[in-house]
Amino acid sequence: MPSSRKIDILYICDWLPPDFGAVGQYSLLFARELARSGKRVVLAGLSSRGREQSEELFGSGSLRIVRLPAKPYKKHRFRSRLWWTAKINTRLIIGLRREIKAAHEIRFTGSPPLFLHWIAPLGVLLRKRLVYRITDFHPECLIAARGRPSWWLNSVYRLTLFWRRRVSAFEVLGEDQRARLIEIGIEGERIHLKRDRSPVVIDAATAPVDRPKLEPGKALLLYSGNWGVAHDYQTFLEAYRLHHSRGSGRVILWLNAVGAAVASIEEFLREGKIPYRRSHLVPMEELGSLLVAPDAHLITLSDAFVGFVLPSKVYGCVASNKPILYVGSERSDVHRICLGSEAYYDRVPAGDVAGCVSALERLADHVCRDRRVRVAE
């Protein structure tokens, strides 16, 4: 599909598979759905392997995937992140100038951060229909992470509100995000709920990966994916320490994660000589096998990020039909989604260490009971 032809939908996100990134994984799924419905779609994003293009045909619809070269940034360096964001957003605009001009509708996500400030002025100028799939709220996430206001962040925030009001429609991941948009004056009729789903198919035939060895009577609790500034970890770590120093110590953390918090988490566990298991991220085609391997899943979210971030891992965790322990607010759609699971589910508020200690004991009891039942059957 040459770029000179008209494009029904130009879909823009950040990292596309095989690079790690949940937004890109879901964007690829949704772009293929649009192409199967007969649309001419271009999906554009970033790749650490250099510029690539490929095309997929779906009857009267088609999907052209454009990967633009980019290097990952160091998340712990604030200035480096800002420079990377400005550079990448500009590269996307320049690299996709023909596609932007040819597209009837432009859909873009919350990643890369602040891309709204690049695409909205251009969309208004060219009179394009803009649909914002607001996966993460920026700069609200940065404001929440810093924990204090500043004049320049307030200025960026006010400018962000100005451009959001000029977006044609919004897609939100949950009711918590809808509430955040309504709070800032976005009309409800412009907001559409479209949840993500499990990025992999999990069924009875899904074979688990090899799991870490445990002593008899132990329960393996997996934290997979990103563990960063938005995901509360202090509550769980302190409860986990008490679980092993004063409790039964039957739950063992399996850490299969990346993110800003991972180094601090491992340092805490090593210094406290608290048992845990560590493994590295698996390829996308093995994700389903990873998710069915543990006895239970752990999800965490800081209260300051409720409605600004929805951990995408929740869909895969629910699809695995494994027990879930969630440390976070009931106002988040994480809670709503987990309540729909048929498997065991327990929630404790962020900051409730004593409650989390009790939840770990309840989880261990459930896993051990379930294991005895399966052995008996």
Side-chain angles (χ1 to χ4, degrees):
M1 183 172 62
S3 58
S4 59
R5 286 184 55 188
K6 285 296 182 181
I7 299 167
D8 292 319
I9 299 173
L10 171 61
Y11 204 133
I12 305 173
C13 63
D14 58 357
W15 298 101
L16 286 172
D19 284 293
F20 176 74
V23 174
Q25 292 167 4
Y26 288 116
S27 297
L28 181 57
L29 289 175
F30 293 142
R32 283 179 173 147
E33 285 182 359
L34 291 167
R36 289 190 184 98
S37 71
K39 302 289 186 181
R40 293 166 295 181
V41 183
V42 173
L43 172 64
L46 308 176
S47 172
S48 61
R49 304 189 304 179
R51 187 179 181 95
E52 298 177 341
Q53 289 200 40
S54 60
E55 187 171 5
E56 302 175 10
L57 301 178
F58 300 90
S60 60
S62 60
L63 171 62
R64 181 159 58 93
I65 303 174
V66 179
R67 291 177 170 86
L68 300 176
K71 294 181 179 179
Y73 60 88
K74 297 184 182 299
K75 293 186 176 183
H76 61 282
R77 294 183 179 178
F78 179 66
R79 291 184 180 180
S80 173
R81 289 173 60 186
L82 284 181
W83 172 243
W84 182 91
T85 298
K87 182 172 63 174
I88 288 301
N89 288 344
T90 303
R91 182 178 298 173
L92 284 169
I93 294 295
I94 294 174
L96 299 172
R97 58 191 182 277
R98 294 180 181 176
E99 287 80 3
I100 290 172
K101 186 176 180 180
H104 168 70
E105 175 181 298
I106 300 172
R107 298 193 181 192
F108 61 102
T109 66
S111 298
L114 302 177
F115 185 64
L116 168 73
H117 292 258
W118 274 255
I119 195 63
L122 195 56
V124 171
L125 178 66
L126 297 176
R127 299 182 179 180
K128 302 293 183 180
R129 173 175 167 79
L130 296 177
V131 178
Y132 189 0
R133 183 163 179 78
I134 192 159
T135 48
D136 293 335
F137 281 64
H138 297 287
E140 288 92 333
C141 284
L142 180 56
I143 294 171
R146 289 171 66 88
R148 63 183 186 276
S150 67
W151 67 268
W152 68 271
L153 265 180
N154 288 336
S155 300
V156 173
Y157 178 64
R158 286 194 294 269
L159 184 60
T160 300
L161 297 187
F162 174 84
W163 288 121
R164 280 181 188 164
R165 295 188 181 105
R166 278 140 188 87
V167 169
S168 307
F170 292 84
E171 288 183 355
V172 293
L173 308 184
E175 295 295 344
D176 53 354
Q177 290 190 336
R178 186 200 299 272
R180 290 290 193 180
L181 287 177
I182 290 175
E183 284 175 3
I184 61 174
I186 304 298
E187 300 87 351
E189 58 268 21
R190 292 166 58 198
I191 306 171
H192 309 283
L193 175 64
K194 184 174 181 179
R195 295 194 184 278
D196 287 332
R197 61 176 186 270
S198 175
V200 291
V201 175
I202 299 176
D203 53 30
T206 303
V209 298
D210 292 336
R211 49 184 265 161
K213 302 293 185 183
L214 293 183
E215 299 172 2
K218 303 288 186 179
L220 193 60
L221 177 63
L222 174 66
Y223 190 100
S224 58
N226 183 59
W227 209 341
V229 293
H231 311 280
D232 171 62
Y233 64 92
Q234 292 91 344
T235 303
F236 173 78
L237 282 186
E238 182 59 22
Y240 187 63
R241 181 186 69 81
L242 293 173
H243 175 68
H244 281 274
S245 62
R246 302 178 187 176
S248 67
R250 290 175 294 165
V251 175
I252 303 297
L253 176 66
W254 179 8
L255 193 58
N256 184 277
V258 295
V262 172
S264 298
I265 291 168
E266 288 207 85
E267 182 180 3
F268 178 91
L269 295 171
R270 287 195 301 265
E271 288 184 353
K273 298 181 179 179
I274 308 169
Y276 74 104
R277 303 293 185 269
R278 184 72 165 103
S279 62
H280 299 288
L281 296 178
V282 300
M284 188 64 181
E285 58 269 19
E286 297 180 21
L287 179 58
S289 297
L290 172 70
L291 295 177
V292 299
D295 295 308
H297 291 283
L298 172 66
I299 303 175
T300 68
L301 182 64
S302 298
D303 286 351
F305 290 85
V306 171
F308 295 144
V309 170
L310 181 63
S312 58
K313 59 179 286 177
V314 63
Y315 303 103
C317 294
V318 169
S320 74
N321 205 34
K322 296 287 184 174
I324 296 174
L325 171 60
Y326 166 49
V327 181
S329 171
E330 64 182 2
R331 294 183 295 111
S332 170
D333 268 46
V334 170
H335 180 58
R336 292 186 179 93
I337 294 167
C338 288
L339 282 176
S341 171
E342 297 179 357
Y344 174 91
Y345 168 62
D346 201 353
R347 183 195 72 86
V348 294
D352 185 1
V353 174
C356 191
V357 172
S358 299
L360 288 170
E361 295 293 349
R362 290 194 297 270
L363 178 64
D365 289 340
H366 172 82
V367 169
C368 291
R369 281 197 304 269
D370 184 65
R371 192 176 290 158
R372 288 194 297 270
V373 169
R374 285 188 281 113
V375 169
E377 289 176 346

